[in-house]
Amino acid sequence: MSSGGSAQRPEGLGTRTSRGIYVSATTPGSGKSLVALGLAEALHSHTDRIGFFKPVVAGTTPDADPMVALIRSRYNLDPAVCRGGLTAREVRKYLAEGKREEIGARTVDVFSEIAAQCDVVVVEGTDLVGQDSAVEFALNARLANDLGCPMVAVVSGRDRTPEEIADAVDVARKELQAAHCSLLMMMVNRAAPQHLDEISAAIRPGVSHRPVYVIPEIEEISRPTTGEVSSLLALRQIAGRADMEREVRDVKVAAMSVANFIGVLETGDLVIVPGDRADIMVGALASTFSPEFPVPSAMILTGGLSPDEHILPLLAPAPFPIFAYPEDTYHAARSVSEVRSEIWSGQRRKVASALGAWSKRVDDAEILERLNLPRPETMTPLRFLHELVGRARVDRRHIVLPEGTDVRILRAAEILHRRDVCDLTILGDDGQVREIAGSNGISLSGMPILNPATSDLRERFAHEYARLRAHRGVDLPRALEAMLDVSYFGTMMVQLGLVDGMVSGAAHTTAHTIRPALEFVKTSPGVKVVSSVFFMLLPDRVLVYGDCAVNPEPDAEQLADIAIASAETAAQFGVLPRVAMLSYSTGASGSGATVDKVRRATELVRERRPDLAVEGPIQYDAAVDASIAATKLPGSNVAGQATVFIFPDLNTGNNTYKAVQQSAGAVAVGPVLQGLRKPVNDLSRGCTVEDIVNTVAITAVQAQAVHAQTLQAQAG
């Protein structure tokens, strides 16, 4: 077994001699798991098969590691390619017995099994803790060499000056060089946010003169959640909402009068109070009566004391969890102070914050260029959605969310903000929106809330609406009334360029959402009908279905419009359009009104867009199956390989997309509206938070295209 004698290669060398990248802390508390997650996210978008390996896990079994569980879940990885190696206890035993070679041998065996099935494997080394940090540093260096992996070395910037961080980077480089490690790159994590530029300037270039990325400390990751506190203290919930994702921003021990305590209580505080202090308990519930009062993240009742039987019913509907703890207040406070949160807790808000920071500070393209990995041959749902979010970030757009009183909208807004996807404005009464957010532990920091009823914009919008709809008899009083409707107000924000797009429909019908857009945003030049598509994300490819949500019985002209718009939407999102005009008959074999309509629509598409690959009428099986296509339409450049499917009517389209969604396990993203001059998108009233996040990202990308077209037109 090699003892780490591989030749030193300079930091950032582009050639790759192994299938692994070893992420290692070089100083304690570096937060290397964020780097491992960021790398996995970047690599997954660039190659078909990634793996994850943690040579040493903290749990009692190789699979009992939270980071392994997070990566496996997020990227839907098979346990065979996402796993742990030895437990920390086994490693300590081998080291004590002088059996270092056994550690390397077993690690190489597992890594080889994973690497044989993957294009690249992210390997996360051990944490450097306590008196064993020097031993662990040497162990990570040795394992990286044994595995033949270049190393991503992570330095902690926490509580360090820019000069101290620069020195730590130099020391790490020298120590890794002495250990004969191949250094792919250095990264600084947990740096003071206000000193990022100074830190970057202070770091001296390495041999390759490649950048050293500096990532700030992220408070949202280090804050424990109510679930983590509850789990680690073995708390028993006795009242309140079972919300275990609330962030604990601070801890307040109630050791004063209720009047003084309410004066220092802030939203997100975890309140620790003796179980017989009914006055504090009721005072902390003040937020349920008025949005002006702060909302705690949780309450812990100490001393094994149960609340009075008359108080417990008041605590039951609390918007935060209330726990019982058998020991005294001092022990409770000390135990809570020892709870540490990590990104691998799996909380989606922590992951969103981590990936948002990564996207702001790290150039994925520059890192991938160093690795020289094969391009992916398939498009998985996760890769499509990852690239979607990445595209939305490239040219930042501003989206309005009119339904500010829907908790799903607020949760999605928080995730979008943390992931740095786009700018957002939320509509609704400020007090009501913040009350809903506070009672659900949602942070809306950095997102403006606009109330149409009190906004100065309402009169301006009403004048514009009355002007645009004067031919329909709309006068100013009627226009002022219309602008109280969040859909009309939000759509007018889009129309006048105050925002770039709108997403609504979680709490409103499709008709309510798109009616204002049809009234005054209107369709794009040359487009006669607004339609929709669903992106159908299958395990290995993305298909586009249209129209499944808007037009019940399109005629041939409208069907041609839908086909062309759907092809353009597909191309806009990276799907090569090969258009199948669907019917119950293929080619010239059938007749009837519906077949004739589809045949005429196909002719119109070919006349208007001769550059498009289009086939019709064609049956679904001939459109997707190459062997059937060879029999029914030999020589077709669409049959058997269609990517865009145009249904003859809404009934067929809507039922088909739902059937494929349920039977094939496809992820349906949409409906995505097309044909409007500016993007307005509709949500299903049964939408999830993830659906909203995806639709907002799609709307931002559509807005980018509109912006680019506007600039092109202005340039002549």
Side-chain angles (χ1 to χ4, degrees), residues 175-240:
E175 290 185 349
L176 291 170
Q177 183 175 6
H180 305 290
C181 288
S182 173
L183 184 57
L184 181 68
M185 72 181 74
M186 295 290 308
M187 302 195 80
V188 175
N189 191 25
R190 307 191 71 182
Q194 68 273 26
H195 296 312
L196 298 181
D197 292 339
E198 295 174 56
I199 294 168
S200 295
I203 295 172
R204 290 166 282 277
V207 175
S208 68
H209 291 271
R210 293 275 196 171
V212 173
Y213 294 108
V214 182
I215 303 173
E217 176 79 272
I218 305 170
E219 289 185 6
E220 292 89 341
I221 293 177
S222 58
R223 291 173 185 152
T225 62
T226 51
E228 289 170 321
V229 172
S230 172
S231 176
L232 291 173
L233 272 67
L235 299 176
R236 177 173 59 90
Q237 184 174 357
I238 61 170

Side-chain angles (χ1 to χ4, degrees), residues 675-694:
L676 289 167
R677 283 191 311 108
K678 297 185 178 183
V680 171
N681 275 312
D682 179 42
L683 297 164
S684 163
R685 277 172 286 175
C687 64
T688 65
V689 171
E690 288 74 19
D691 293 334
I692 299 167
V693 170
N694 295 335

Side-chain angles (χ1 to χ4, degrees), residues 351-367:
V351 171
S353 295
L355 294 178
W358 176 275
S359 69
K360 285 182 181 178
R361 301 295 305 178
V362 178
D363 183 350
D364 282 352
E366 191 273 333
I367 291 177

